[in-house]
Amino acid sequence: EDQVTQSPEALRLQEGESSSLNCSYTVSGLRGLFWYRQDPGKGPEFLFTLYSAGEEKEKERLKATLTKKESFLHITAPKPEDSATYLCAVQVSGTYKYIFGTGTRLKVLA
Amino acid sequence: SAVISQKPSRDICQRGTSLTIQCQVDSQVTMMFWYRQQPGQSLTLIATANQGSEATYESGFVIDKFPISRPNLTFSTLTVSNMSPEDSSIYLCSVLAGVDEQFFGPGTRLTVL
């Protein structure tokens, strides 16, 4: 069964304290892996697409990496405005179907 | 990317009634999707809506409960029929805008009493 698991469920960081969020997946065939940011009361905001093991993408304080079984979202020197829920999704090969994880709720304290 | 709006943004409804949610996109897109996000849970795909064809429903979702219309390339509606409290959720539409990337609307928060 295709499945996406994110950890930790929640994470509290001090401003400037770097950390990583994990997304592990089991899928029959991977077309792509996606990271989204979701603020309370809003829809998910697209961050990154990763297609193959070894690929990395960066945007400001965020860097996403991909292996054959998991992806990491690294947050370097986070700021309070980085507080949000971060969602991971995989696209099954041959379909447009996304399977989402339950997300990591990140809180960055000033 | 694409700019997506949804109406209503939130609603409180009585059980047994129906609600139609609208999704409007600022550009023409082939594929649109409807998701449900229940409290504390991940997004679950309800159906894929392509213009000019019947919507394709995921396992556990049926057309009688969630009828979808897709009259043109910028608009879609999802109706939640004969509602019960278990239908209380956030409903999101998304569009395929890019190679594989989906972009989401702001969501409709539905509470059924």
Side-chain angles (χ1 to χ4, degrees), chain B residues 43-61:
Chain B
L43 281 76
T44 302
L45 181 63
I46 297 171
T48 301
N50 293 338
Q51 195 269 335
S53 62
E54 295 289 325
T56 303
Y57 289 83
E58 295 298 310
S59 175
F61 298 96

Side-chain angles (χ1 to χ4, degrees), chain A residues 2-110:
Chain A
D2 299 328
Q3 191 171 338
V4 177
T5 303
Q6 290 188 247
S7 62
E9 289 186 10
L11 181 63
R12 290 168 69 94
L13 299 174
Q14 290 296 131
E15 185 172 3
E17 180 186 2
S18 302
S19 188
S20 296
L21 313 182
N22 177 263
C23 171
S24 62
Y25 60 89
T26 304
V27 64
S28 52
L30 180 69
R31 165 66 180 168
L33 185 141
F34 306 86
W35 283 98
Y36 286 84
R37 168 189 172 131
Q38 186 173 26
D39 293 297
K42 296 188 177 182
E45 174 190 347
F46 171 76
L47 293 173
F48 301 111
T49 306
L50 300 166
Y51 285 109
S52 56
E55 189 175 1
E56 298 183 352
K57 294 277 181 70
E58 285 190 67
K59 179 180 179 181
E60 296 180 355
R61 295 177 292 282
L62 300 177
K63 183 169 79 172
T65 62
L66 181 65
T67 73
K68 288 187 177 180
K69 292 190 176 182
E70 59 190 349
S71 176
F72 293 93
L73 184 65
H74 307 278
I75 303 177
T76 301
K79 298 181 178 181
E81 52 262 42
D82 295 321
S83 298
T85 296
Y86 290 85
L87 299 170
C88 167
V90 297
Q91 181 181 352
V92 180
S93 294
T95 77
Y96 289 100
K97 180 177 180 178
Y98 277 21
I99 299 170
F100 277 87
T102 53
T104 294
R105 296 189 311 278
L106 173 65
K107 178 72 172 178
V108 181
L109 304 172

Side-chain angles (χ1 to χ4, degrees), chain B residues 8-60:
Chain B
S9 58
R10 58 177 62 226
D11 207 341
I12 300 173
C13 301
Q14 297 297 319
R15 73 168 64 215
T17 63
S18 298
L19 176 71
T20 296
I21 302 167
Q22 300 178 9
C23 179
Q24 180 75 51
V25 190
D26 69 339
S27 58
Q28 294 185 339
V29 294
T30 302
M31 303 193 70
M32 297 180 76
F33 308 87
W34 286 98
Y35 287 82
R36 182 172 72 182
Q37 186 174 28
Q38 294 182 306
Q41 298 189 26
S42 63
L43 281 76
T44 302
L45 181 63
I46 297 171
T48 301
N50 293 338
Q51 195 269 335
S53 62
E54 295 289 325
T56 303
Y57 289 83
E58 295 298 310
S59 175

